[in-house]
Amino acid sequence: MVGVGEKKESALGRISIVSYYGQVLYDVMCRPEEVITDYRTPWSGIRPTDMVRAIPFECVQDQVQRIIEGRIVVGHMVFNDFHVLKMQHPKDLIRDTGLAPYAKVKAGFHPRQPTALRNLAEKLLGLRIQTGEHCSTEDAQATMAIYRLVEEEWEADLRVKTSKKKSKVLQPSPKKRPIFDLELPSLSDDQCSSDFSALNPNPLNCYPPLALKSCSSSSLLLEDEYWDDC
């Protein structure tokens, strides 16, 4: 990230997206909407010369949206990334290694303790990253490698939680009478022979089905080969 405006607020300067196994799918420099007042080079690794080949923010935002739509996004404190992207993503499609306890516990940290990505990478992967200027592709690859280590336990817990929520939604509310106890309207013989819907003013099969949002694997490659609109 870089700083923009008088207050040097965080803005997107570079973004990298990798596949499930760490293959770089998307890696571009981004030109923010506001004037850059702090390149934060010691941490971001971004320099003024990088902006010569940078892509406008609105174009990057559109491309990223098209890439991640319907897919699981894995990141470390990824809410910061979505904030500078000015985007939202379904909560059930986000796996944040900085917030979830799985990787932190496996590395020996307290589950609620804020833990830097470099510390998780060193403990779990034996890698030293972010020792100088940060590299966004390296950070993304390390985050995905950490996720793969705890993926089985993480996803199993999510399936259990989803199953419980589904069961809770399907159970009738105890404060309301079950639908088969509702008093039915009195009908004439003609109505009974031709209009069965009146016997069931709120039939069960009219309720919207409980559908879990399906998602593609985060290892899928980009479908678009070129970005002609930018």
Side-chain angles (χ1 to χ4, degrees):
M1 297 181 191
V2 295
V4 297
E6 293 182 1
K7 297 182 179 180
K8 299 182 179 180
E9 296 179 345
S10 293
L12 187 66
R14 179 183 177 184
I15 182 168
S16 303
I17 300 175
V18 302
S19 72
Y20 179 81
Y21 289 108
Q23 180 183 2
V24 178
L25 304 178
Y26 185 76
D27 182 30
V28 299
M29 293 291 177
C30 174
R31 187 183 307 118
E33 296 174 300
E34 298 182 60
V35 177
I36 298 176
T37 51
D38 186 358
Y39 284 88
R40 304 178 183 176
T41 303
W43 301 277
S44 69
I46 299 173
R47 293 169 170 77
T49 52
D50 292 321
M51 290 298 110
V52 174
R53 57 189 177 92
I55 298 175
F57 171 78
E58 60 272 15
C59 189
V60 173
Q61 185 186 51
D62 176 65
Q63 291 173 355
V64 171
Q65 180 64 59
R66 291 158 62 185
I67 293 169
I68 69 174
E69 185 174 2
R71 293 175 178 166
I72 294 174
V73 173
V74 177
H76 190 83
M77 307 304 283
V78 73
F79 59 87
N80 290 320
D81 302 305
F82 283 123
H83 177 71
V84 294
L85 277 164
K86 300 180 181 179
M87 285 172 47
Q88 293 184 335
H89 197 62
K91 192 174 181 180
D92 61 320
L93 295 182
I94 294 176
R95 306 291 185 268
D96 196 323
T97 57
L99 296 180
Y102 307 98
K104 291 187 281 188
V105 170
K106 191 175 184 67
F109 298 106
H110 191 279
R112 295 185 179 180
Q113 175 185 344
T115 308
L117 176 61
R118 63 177 177 274
N119 293 334
L120 289 178
E122 186 170 5
K123 287 282 188 178
L124 298 177
L125 307 174
L127 296 177
R128 295 191 65 197
I129 63 172
Q130 300 179 349
T131 55
E133 296 179 4
H134 293 196
C135 173
S136 57
T137 55
E138 184 180 65
D139 290 351
Q141 289 167 336
T143 302
M144 190 62 80
I146 290 169
Y147 168 73
R148 292 198 303 270
L149 288 178
V150 295
E151 176 186 9
E152 186 175 348
E153 179 187 3
W154 196 338
E155 297 301 328
D157 278 359
L158 288 177
R159 285 193 293 271
V160 171
K161 291 177 182 178
T162 301
S163 178
K164 288 181 178 179
K165 287 182 180 179
K166 181 177 179 180
S167 176
K168 186 176 181 180
V169 170
L170 291 178
Q171 290 177 358
S173 172
K175 295 182 181 180
K176 297 180 180 179
R177 291 185 297 172
I179 194 167
F180 48 78
D181 280 344
L182 293 176
E183 294 181 5
L184 300 178
S186 58
L187 304 174
S188 65
D189 292 339
D190 292 340
Q191 284 179 301
C192 287
S193 61
S194 61
D195 187 9
F196 291 98
S197 62
L199 286 171
N200 198 352
N202 200 7
L204 286 174
N205 59 7
C206 287
Y207 283 84
L210 187 67
L212 299 180
K213 189 175 183 68
S214 60
C215 58
S216 304
S217 167
S218 55
S219 65
L220 290 179
L221 297 177
L222 307 184
E223 296 174 0
D224 296 333
E225 187 175 359
Y226 302 103
W227 304 101
D228 294 331
D229 52 342
C230 296

